[in-house]
Each structure stands twice: as C-alpha cells, then as structure tokens.
Amino acid sequence: MGTYKIAVLKGDGIGPEVVTEAMEVLKCIGNKYHHTFLFDEKLVGGCAYDAYGTPLPDETLNACKNSDSVLLGAVGGAKWDHLPSSLRPETGALLKLRSSLGLYANLRPAIIHKALKDASPIRSEIIGDHLDILVVRELTGGIYFGEKGYREGRYGKEAYDVEAYSEYEIKRIVIQAFEAAMKRNKHVSSIDKANVLESSKLWRKIVTEVAENYPEVTLDHMYVDNAAMQLIRDPKHFDVIVTSNIFGDIISDEASQITGSIGMLPSASLAQDAFGMYEPIHGSAPDIAGKNIANPIATILSTAMMLKFSFGLMQEAQTIEDAVTKVLDAGYRTPDIYHEETTKVGTKEMGKLIVEAILK
Ligand code: NAD
C-alpha cells in the first residue's frame, strides 16, 4: 500500500485521449492493490504555448520536479511548426524536460505480441512466436549535446558536431542495461563503432569493465552497421541493446518498426534515482486526434513501466501487461491494428476492456 504522486502531461493531438485511458488503468490498479495515485495535471507542448506563450511553463516543470514520476502523452502539431525551436513543443518542451529532469536513460521495449505477429514487416519464421527486445539508449550526452558550430575548413566553410562521452556517462547507462538484463534473459548487446571512433573505443572499454560485475550476463559487442543488419536478419538474437544517444535514436526506431505497430510501444526515460518520465513512442498523431480511434495501449503499457521502474510494483505492472495480452488474444483491436477476423473498438472501449481484464 503506497501513495504515489504523478505529474500528468497530456499534451497535444491524441495525447489527452490516450492518457485519459492510461489514468483509468492506474486508478483501477490503485483500487485493486490498495495504492493511491495522486494525479497533478499540467499543460505541456502546443496547448501550453497557446495558454502561456511557452511550451514548458515553470508551473509544469515544477509539478514534474515535485512528483514521483511523469506520465506524458505527446506534443506537437502543424499549428506550432512555424515557431522558433526554443518555442516549438518538441524541442522547447521535450528536450528541456529531459535535460531539466536529468533523464539520461531511455528504455524502449520492442515487443511483438503473439496475437499481432502478422503486423510485423519481417517474415513470421524469422520472428517466431514472440519478440521482446529492450533498447537502452543514452539520452543526455554524445553528439546531440556536444560542441557544434561552423568554421573554416580545407574546402571553405564547414559545420561540425562533436561526439564526446565521459567514463561516468557511459558507466551509468551501461549499469542500467545490465541491471535490466538481470531481470530478463541475461544478454546484453553493446552497439558502437569502435573500429573508427575514439568515443566508441572508450564505450567498449567501460562496457567490458562493467560486465565483470555481472558474470551471469552474456555480453557481445557489435558495430552499429552490423547491428542494423542483424536486427532485420535475426532479431531474436537480441535481448537488451545498450548504445549511445545517436546510435540509439536510429536503432530504437528500427527495432520499433519490426513490431509493425507504433500505437503499441511504451517508453521510459529514467533519472539517477527512481524518478522517470513515461510516454508512448508515437507522436501526437494530429491526423486521427479527437476521433476516438487512437490506440491507447502504448500509453497504458507506459504506466506498467512506471510501476516497475519508478515504484517497484512488479506484480501490479505484470497485471497491466497480462490484461493487454488478454484483450488482444480475445480479438479486440483499434483501427491501426485491426484486420478482418478481429473486432474493431475505439480508444475508450479499448481502455475499458483493459480495465475489465484487470478486474477479472
Ligand atoms: P506520429 O507518431 O504522431 O504519427 C505517425 C502515424 O502513426 C500517423 O499516421 C498516426 O495516425 C499513427 N499513429 C501514431 N500513434 C498512433 C496511435 N496511438 N494509434 C493509432 N495510430 C497512431 O508521428 P508524426 O505524424 O510524424 O508526428 C505528428 C506530430 O507529433 C508532429 O508534430 C511531431 O513533431 C510530433 N511528435 C511528438 C513526439 C512526442 O511527443 N514524443 C514524438 C514524435 C512526433
């Protein structure tokens, strides 16, 4: 029995619709297991810009800092695309949230549920019955945050971006990956470009050192170009992938595409302590906003990650994951994952079915 304060940032587009269903699931888990989830709802993204002239008002950031975790929908839309990057929802709100909250570890599971394996663009004999990969991406270092600018080069004006990683930054993300692997199939694949890059050589050295503390975990190192190939050729090889910010950006999108369903995939961004921000990997999907057809499962599974990683409520998290599986196995689908032999339901109905499955 515990009390947990959650900052809820629904955001733009389908954000409010999918987060509302995720909140219903959390309330249901609270009732079933006698926990209290206190929701502190605040504006973020384009809607916050319209109301306050900034996509991340101080009030919103402070609410996040004063909470045990953050549940985020999605931000952005064409209406705000013309704004300078400091005021655009994606950069002005999301990147600032990540850096202000010290969210250095991004965990993105790419899971294919048995009932949805036809959705994968990869042949079913390669996928098998089930696929479950966890990509652990460094989120606050590397080339996206390194020194950048313009200078005079050998052929005139040139632009540069520096990829720099400290031992400290590498070690803390690699430990996250090994800890995650200990709770899974005990296999870490570290992705780098150590045949070319100094920063990758240091990365590989630190990974090898950290691995000595986890003798039960199998470690392999892979160059990023090979990893991109192996993910398509033999995705079942992977359990936990750990990699830098830029490689993780690309590899995690590739892994998510293998699952074939963007509306199903959750993510967690974690800080040094148990604090985390949890959100679906998809965007605000303005093309389907307000129509009650968005798939809320990615956001609902994000709450399961929150229970697991921020609150240590393993059984409660498992209950949500099992409920999602039951509803899919029973043949219910939102339009994005619907096919003829299944039953089409809307956002609200899907949320309700998952709540009912939790209560059973
Ligand atoms: P998107 O993820 O919003 O949508 C891509 C496609 O997937 C669309 O056809 C959409 O209808 C569909 N889709 C996405 N989520 C779905 C769901 N839950 N159920 C059913 N279908 C779903 O990506 P986009 O169209 O490139 O971007 C739209 C806006 O979202 C842009 O402003 C973009 O900058 C922003 N964005 C925000 C985030 C975030 O908040 N983390 C992430 C990506 C994009």
Side-chain angles (χ1 to χ4, degrees):
M1 285 211 305
T3 299
Y4 305 93
K5 197 168 168 195
I6 302 170
V8 176
L9 317 182
K10 292 181 173 174
D12 307 313
I14 61 169
E17 295 169 68
V18 292
V19 172
T20 299
E21 297 315 311
M23 289 165 77
E24 290 302 317
V25 165
L26 279 174
K27 282 183 213 163
C28 175
I29 287 287
N31 288 336
K32 184 170 172 133
Y33 292 97
H34 310 293
H35 301 301
T36 307
F37 297 112
L38 302 171
F39 299 121
D40 190 8
E41 284 192 47
K42 292 284 180 266
L43 294 182
V44 73
C47 59
Y49 175 80
D50 288 348
Y52 298 101
T54 165
L56 183 61
D58 288 345
E59 194 186 324
T60 301
L61 185 57
N62 289 335
C64 295
K65 288 182 177 167
N66 293 325
S67 296
D68 299 312
S69 74
V70 181
L71 176 63
L72 177 77
V75 298
K79 185 179 173 193
W80 305 285
D81 279 352
H82 68 282
L83 294 170
S85 72
S86 62
L87 293 177
R88 272 190 65 157
E90 299 87 341
T91 35
L94 279 189
L95 289 188
K96 199 168 161 204
L97 267 173
R98 285 174 189 161
S99 56
S100 307
L101 299 174
L103 304 171
Y104 71 92
N106 184 224
L107 274 57
R108 269 174 59 164
I111 296 174
I112 300 186
H113 292 262
K114 201 172 166 189
L116 292 184
K117 72 176 189 174
D118 290 343
S120 173
I122 308 277
R123 285 203 312 272
S124 61
E125 62 264 36
I126 293 177
I127 296 293
D129 258 358
H130 181 66
L131 188 73
D132 183 351
I133 300 171
L134 177 67
V135 180
V136 179
R137 167 189 169 196
E138 203 288 325
L139 205 57
T140 52
I143 195 164
Y144 294 170
F145 293 89
E147 191 195 328
K148 57 186 81 227
Y150 288 85
R151 63 187 169 205
E152 275 310 308
R154 194 146 53 115
Y155 303 106
K157 191 177 175 187
E158 65 183 20
Y160 65 95
D161 301 271
V162 175
E163 168 87 345
Y165 267 113
S166 67
E167 293 186 354
Y168 169 75
E169 287 172 302
I170 301 169
K171 193 170 175 185
R172 66 179 179 175
I173 189 77
V174 172
I175 289 173
Q176 280 277 3
F178 275 88
E179 288 293 328
M182 286 297 287
K183 297 183 194 126
R184 297 169 46 99
N185 290 329
K186 300 190 171 64
H187 178 192
V188 170
S189 301
S190 171
I191 295 177
D192 62 37
K193 192 70 183 167
N195 49 345
V196 182
L197 302 176
E198 280 313 309
S199 52
S200 280
K201 283 179 195 153
L202 180 64
W203 181 279
R204 196 172 274 221
K205 175 174 170 280
I206 303 289
V207 172
T208 309
E209 283 169 14
V210 170
E212 284 169 16
N213 298 325
Y214 297 88
E216 290 167 63
V217 177
T218 309
L219 167 68
D220 50 54
H221 300 279
M222 244 182 226
Y223 298 136
V224 63
D225 40 348
N226 183 32
M229 271 197 308
Q230 297 306 327
L231 260 176
I232 302 293
R233 200 184 70 84
D234 184 19
K236 289 182 89 63
H237 169 83
F238 297 97
D239 175 26
V240 175
I241 289 174
V242 63
T243 191
S244 62
N245 202 342
I246 186 168
F247 294 158
D249 195 0
I250 299 162
I251 290 290
S252 62
D253 265 16
E254 186 187 353
S256 69
Q257 281 309 305
I258 293 174
T259 72
S261 46
I262 195 170
M264 296 285 303
L265 300 175
S267 80
S269 300
L270 305 178
Q272 198 83 343
D273 47 20
F275 186 85
M277 185 163 87
Y278 299 84
E279 58 182 310
I281 70 154
H282 60 71
S284 57
D287 52 332
I288 57 166
K291 296 182 178 163
N292 189 38
I293 56 173
N295 188 343
I297 293 180
T299 316
I300 289 171
L301 290 174
S302 299
T303 66
M305 291 189 85
M306 176 190 291
L307 299 184
K308 215 184 288 182
F309 290 104
S310 282
F311 306 154
L313 301 175
M314 302 317 221
Q315 190 187 348
E316 290 82 340
Q318 191 63 49
T319 301
I320 296 177
E321 289 169 359
D322 290 347
V324 168
T325 304
K326 269 189 232 163
V327 171
L328 292 174
D329 285 349
Y332 294 105
R333 304 280 191 275
T334 42
D336 54 312
I337 49 173
Y338 168 80
H339 62 86
E340 267 177 10
E341 290 114 62
T342 57
T343 309
K344 199 187 282 184
V345 295
T347 312
K348 285 187 199 310
E349 294 87 336
M350 181 55 91
K352 197 160 165 260
L353 284 162
I354 293 169
V355 163
E356 282 166 9
I358 289 171
L359 292 173
K360 269 185 198 150

